Amino acid sequence: MKRGNVSESTEFHLMGLSDNQELQPVLFGVFLSIYLITMFGNLLIILATVFDSNLHTPMYFFISNLSFIDICFTTTTIPKMLVNIQAQVSSISYTGCLTQICFVLAFAGLENGILVMMAYDRFVAICHPLRYTVIMNPKLCGVMVLLSFLISILDALLHTLMALRLSFCTKVEIPHFFCELAHILKLACSNILINNILVYLVTSLLGVLPLSGIIYSYTRIISSVLKIPSAAGKYKVFSICASHLLVVILFYGTGFGVYLSSAGTHSSRKSAIASVMYTVVTPMMNPFIYSLRNKDMVSAFKKLISKITTSL
């Protein structure tokens, strides 16, 4: 294929998860259902947190922020996929592709940051319960979210601006359902050494360090739990942390799984299928994880639904 500038190749082509035309209606139905469930579940958590004063605590503040990020995360990728399947087209403009990369990186970084804050919140609540309200004050919570937002935006803009310097072949086919930075770098015709160094450096700083912080928090939590004499007390603490720990495993486990699959296999399509886990499945599962066994959240849902039905 010929090498060309962006001006010669203004459109990229998203090849999706399968070339089989008979599977396209099935994929459309599955992803539309997932998107609607994700939107409804996360929106319900946000509304319940806003309208129920019992949920005006740091933990639920972070959960509602996580729900908002999950809505934005899935909206960045799934609607474009659904439009392409419905219209039977695969094209996305160069500007649209870079915009999608920027938003995916920003929201992934924000989710990463929120999970670290939630781990710190659980650490303070369990290891320093008497000082919890003093340490986890509204000002600190707001500053942490704002700081995470700024870092994620700067990271996303940096990668996107570095992608602007790349040149691409005249026909760019992305074996994915959205524009992912790793695939774009593989398809570039120009030297991507600087881009790869930046990716590895940022992954180390914004991926490994936060995960290390989460591991440290849970190490201290487990140490505190083992000192609790009663089994009932240990179970109560474990139940408080179980939901967050499961979300952490889902997000980081699938994220690192995608990284390893893209690095260790020549099949980009397999890597795309693996990406579905952290970009689509995890945001859909979060509302179920945080609400099914949470009595406060279930009670808030009932109050919210009752308020809506009475106002109709």
Side-chain angles (χ1 to χ4, degrees):
M1 290 194 295
K2 296 179 181 179
R3 177 174 172 168
N5 296 324
V6 173
S7 58
E8 297 174 37
S9 176
T10 56
E11 283 192 345
F12 293 167
H13 294 272
L14 297 170
M15 306 312 293
L17 297 174
S18 174
D19 296 325
N20 191 337
Q21 290 301 316
E22 294 180 358
L23 281 178
Q24 299 309 308
V26 176
L27 289 173
F28 182 87
V30 169
F31 277 84
L32 178 61
S33 300
I34 290 173
Y35 183 62
L36 293 176
I37 292 169
T38 303
M39 291 290 289
F40 178 76
N42 285 292
L43 186 60
L44 201 60
I45 285 180
I46 293 171
L47 292 174
T49 306
V50 170
F51 288 108
D52 193 330
S53 58
N54 294 324
L55 301 184
H56 292 175
T57 64
M59 181 176 72
Y60 292 108
F61 171 73
F62 293 135
I63 289 175
S64 62
N65 274 275
L66 183 66
S67 293
F68 175 73
I69 292 164
D70 284 337
I71 289 173
C72 296
F73 201 2
T74 52
T75 301
T76 303
T77 57
I78 296 182
K80 178 60 180 175
M81 178 191 184
L82 295 176
V83 169
N84 282 5
I85 293 175
Q86 185 67 21
Q88 296 184 348
V89 296
S90 62
S91 63
I92 181 171
S93 67
Y94 172 74
T95 304
C97 190
L98 284 184
T99 302
Q100 197 173 59
I101 289 173
C102 185
F103 279 111
V104 166
L105 289 174
F107 291 126
L110 273 168
E111 182 142 355
N112 181 38
I114 292 293
L115 291 176
V116 175
M117 294 172 214
M118 293 174 74
Y120 179 68
D121 175 74
R122 294 299 84 204
F123 162 71
V124 176
I126 293 167
C127 298
H128 305 282
L130 298 178
R131 298 178 58 201
Y132 178 74
T133 54
V134 176
I135 296 173
M136 298 303 296
N137 59 77
K139 183 179 179 180
L140 178 64
C141 294
V143 168
M144 286 196 296
V145 172
L146 180 61
L147 186 62
S148 177
F149 174 79
L150 291 175
I151 292 172
S152 300
I153 293 297
L154 288 174
D155 171 50
L157 287 174
L158 181 60
H159 283 296
T160 306
L161 290 172
M162 288 299 293
L164 285 171
R165 58 179 284 276
L166 301 176
S167 60
F168 297 90
C169 298
T170 53
K171 187 178 181 181
V172 183
E173 294 183 345
I174 305 169
H176 214 310
F177 67 97
F178 70 93
C179 289
E180 191 173 49
L181 182 63
H183 289 279
I184 297 299
L185 294 181
K186 286 180 180 179
L187 294 169
C189 295
S190 53
N191 193 310
I192 60 170
L193 177 62
I194 297 175
N195 297 76
N196 281 332
I197 291 172
L198 183 64
V199 168
Y200 291 129
L201 180 64
V202 172
T203 300
S204 300
L205 290 175
L206 302 183
V208 176
L209 284 180
L211 181 58
S212 300
I214 293 174
I215 292 171
Y216 172 77
S217 296
Y218 275 100
T219 302
R220 293 290 303 275
I221 288 170
I222 292 170
S223 177
S224 297
V225 170
L226 293 175
K227 295 176 183 177
I228 299 174
S230 66
K234 291 179 181 178
Y235 176 78
K236 183 180 180 181
V237 174
F238 174 76
S239 63
I240 291 172
C241 300
S243 298
H244 175 254
L245 195 56
L246 183 56
V247 171
V248 168
I249 292 170
L250 273 174
F251 182 76
Y252 284 101
T254 55
F256 281 115
V258 169
Y259 175 79
L260 292 173
S261 65
S262 61
T265 180
H266 296 290
S267 176
S268 297
R269 188 58 58 81
K270 288 181 180 178
S271 175
I273 293 171
S275 295
V276 173
M277 289 302 296
Y278 84 95
T279 58
V280 177
V281 176
T282 301
M284 181 188 69
M285 293 300 297
N286 285 349
F288 294 101
I289 293 170
Y290 281 116
S291 61
L292 286 180
R293 296 184 62 189
N294 190 318
K295 293 179 181 179
D296 293 333
M297 192 67 76
V298 171
S299 176
F301 286 160
K302 290 178 180 178
K303 290 178 184 178
L304 179 63
I305 294 169
S306 176
K307 187 180 290 187
I308 293 172
T309 52
T310 52
S311 62
L312 294 177

